[in-house]
């Protein structure tokens, strides 16, 4: 039962991808290719590099979540630094090149100079990850040659067409971490470097500026949900898995094991669909059709 995975963005919700992969493997599904955006890009790259779900969960559980993000002073136009994240990625992936990964893998970013989606399939894996997770305004863009790259979720929150292009005749399983349109918004909470007394925090949240920022966040959130819904409708993955992680903010500190478990649980509901889409008859049917292709540009992560 062979499949290709498209792992969507979602910040701290991304640990759920580990649970999805673990359960898929337990059920006998063979992941032959993986594409990822943002948090999904991290898991995609680690999995393609040969890390098992157990190893990924163990490594993530060992990290100090209080150090993940700090106020950026010298890393470019972004509120937060990801120097700690960079150190961790280099610890586990080193100078590994994308072309040496164990299965085909592609990460998605957006070039804000040309306003186009960029697919990273070559070059240093760590550079590709730093590009795909560069949330605009929160983290500084990743400069690669002539490109100024930000989070791929800006244009492609769940890279279905990219996963399909890696293995053209396999069913694409899309793992979506964003809530559906009707779900309540969950705002981004910017981590602060120092503890602020609760009364002061409560007073700050009543300020007009705080309210304005919340409205801005809610508008961006709705836009992202709409882009996700439209892309899923157009790109048409064979199966969609949507873990119940909407309550988690994209920069929240989380119980990693609990989020991983939500990913495992989400697979249960779609097992009949997964088995049907990986059946021999369905695969033969896909083999005689013209492969669907998305518009994209490929560049190396230099």
């Amino acid at each position: 039962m062979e499949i290709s995975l498209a792992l969507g963005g979602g910040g701290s919700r991304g640990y759920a991808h580990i649970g999805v992969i673990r359960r898929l493997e337990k059920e006998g599904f063979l992941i032959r290719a993986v594409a990822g955006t943002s948090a999904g890009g991290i898991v995609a790259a680690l999995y393609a590099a040969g890390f098992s779900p157990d190893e990924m969960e163990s490594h993530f559980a060992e990290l100090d979540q209080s150090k993940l993000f700090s106020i950026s002073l010298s890393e470019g136009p972004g509120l937060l630094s990801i120097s700690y994240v960079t150190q961790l990625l280099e610890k586990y992936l080193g100078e590994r090149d994308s072309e040496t990964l164990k299965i085909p893998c592609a990460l998605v970013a957006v070039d804000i100079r040309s306003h186009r989606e960029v697919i990273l399939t070559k070059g240093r894996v760590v550079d590709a990850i730093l590009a795909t997770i560069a949330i605009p305004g929160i983290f500084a863009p990743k400069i690669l040659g002539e490109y100024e790259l930000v989070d791929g979720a800006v244009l492609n929150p769940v890279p279905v067409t990219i996963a399909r292009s890696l293995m053209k005749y396999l069913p694409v399983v899309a793992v979506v971490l964003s809530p559906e349109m009707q779900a309540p918004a969950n705002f981004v909470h910017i981590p602060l470097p120092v503890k602020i007394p609760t009364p002061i925090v409560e007073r700050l949240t009543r300020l007009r500026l705080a309210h304005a920022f919340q409205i801005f966040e809610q508008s961006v959130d709705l836009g992202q949900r709409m882009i996700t819904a439209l892309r899923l409708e157009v790109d048409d993955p064979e199966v969609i898995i949507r873990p119940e992680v909407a309550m988690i903010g994209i920069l929240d500190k989380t119980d990693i094991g609990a989020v991983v478990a939500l990913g495992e649980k989400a697979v249960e509901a779609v097992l009949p669909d997964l088995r049907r889409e990986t059946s021999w008859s369905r695969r033969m049917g896909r083999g005689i059709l013209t492969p669907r292709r998305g518009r994209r540009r490929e560049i190396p992560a230099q």
Side-chain angles (χ1 to χ4, degrees):
M1 297 186 290
E2 299 178 314
I3 59 174
S4 183
L5 275 186
L7 304 182
S12 297
R13 302 167 184 166
Y15 302 119
H17 288 312
I18 300 171
V20 169
I21 293 173
R22 176 184 287 154
R23 183 62 187 275
L24 289 173
E25 289 188 340
K26 285 182 179 178
E27 295 294 334
F29 294 96
L30 302 176
I31 300 167
R32 296 304 192 191
V34 60
T37 292
S38 198
I42 297 177
V43 176
L46 289 172
Y47 185 72
F51 289 89
S52 70
D54 289 348
E55 289 172 327
M56 285 190 281
E57 182 177 5
S58 176
H59 291 323
F60 283 126
E62 291 172 357
L63 62 82
D64 185 345
Q65 293 187 56
S66 67
K67 295 181 180 180
L68 274 178
F69 312 115
S70 58
I71 299 300
S72 176
L73 299 177
S74 60
E75 292 184 17
L79 293 175
L80 300 179
S81 165
I82 53 172
S83 58
Y84 181 61
V85 174
T86 303
Q87 291 172 15
L88 291 174
L89 292 173
E90 290 179 340
K91 173 183 176 181
Y92 295 119
L93 293 169
E95 297 299 315
R96 187 185 293 265
D97 189 277
S98 297
E99 294 181 294
T100 67
L101 296 176
K102 296 181 181 299
I103 61 173
C105 177
L107 306 189
V108 184
V110 172
D111 178 30
I112 59 175
R113 296 175 182 173
S114 65
H115 303 169
R116 295 189 63 178
E117 177 180 312
V118 173
I119 312 306
L120 299 161
T121 58
K122 300 178 182 179
R124 202 169 79 114
V125 178
V126 170
D127 289 337
I129 294 175
L130 294 177
T132 194
I133 68 173
I135 303 172
I138 305 298
F139 307 130
K142 179 65 177 177
I143 306 298
L144 290 177
E146 64 185 282
Y147 300 97
E148 188 173 2
L149 301 175
V150 298
D151 193 329
V154 170
L155 292 179
N156 197 348
V158 188
V160 173
T161 56
I162 311 308
R164 184 171 287 127
S165 72
L166 295 174
M167 285 288 174
K168 289 182 169 51
Y169 301 114
L170 293 185
V172 175
V173 178
V175 186
V176 184
L177 302 181
S178 59
E180 299 187 71
M181 287 296 296
Q182 65 270 23
N186 197 332
F187 298 126
V188 176
H189 301 287
I190 304 298
L192 297 174
V194 295
K195 292 183 178 180
I196 298 178
T198 300
I200 296 178
V201 172
E202 292 175 348
R203 184 175 300 177
L204 288 173
T205 60
R206 290 195 294 267
L207 293 176
R208 183 184 303 175
L209 180 61
H211 289 167
F213 189 64
Q214 286 183 346
I215 292 172
F216 170 76
E217 286 184 292
Q218 189 170 17
S219 300
V220 172
D221 177 76
L222 289 172
Q224 278 292 300
R225 295 190 204 189
M226 179 60 74
I227 291 173
T228 301
L230 291 174
R231 289 294 307 239
L232 289 173
E233 183 175 351
V234 171
D235 298 341
D236 193 23
E238 279 69 25
V239 178
I240 295 176
I241 299 175
R242 195 185 292 264
E244 295 183 5
V245 292
M247 79 297 293
I248 302 170
I250 64 172
L251 299 180
D252 283 356
K253 295 179 182 178
T254 62
D255 180 336
I256 292 172
V259 181
V260 170
L262 291 174
E264 292 190 69
K265 181 180 178 182
V267 177
E268 182 71 33
V270 299
L271 280 175
D273 295 331
L274 283 164
R275 293 193 174 104
R276 181 173 60 253
E277 291 297 335
T278 54
S279 66
W280 180 251
S281 60
R282 286 295 180 95
R283 184 168 181 181
M284 287 293 291
R286 277 188 295 271
I288 62 175
L289 297 176
T290 301
R292 291 167 286 188
R293 297 183 180 180
R295 182 185 178 189
R296 62 195 182 96
R297 176 190 293 182
E298 292 191 14
I299 68 166
Q302 299 172 348

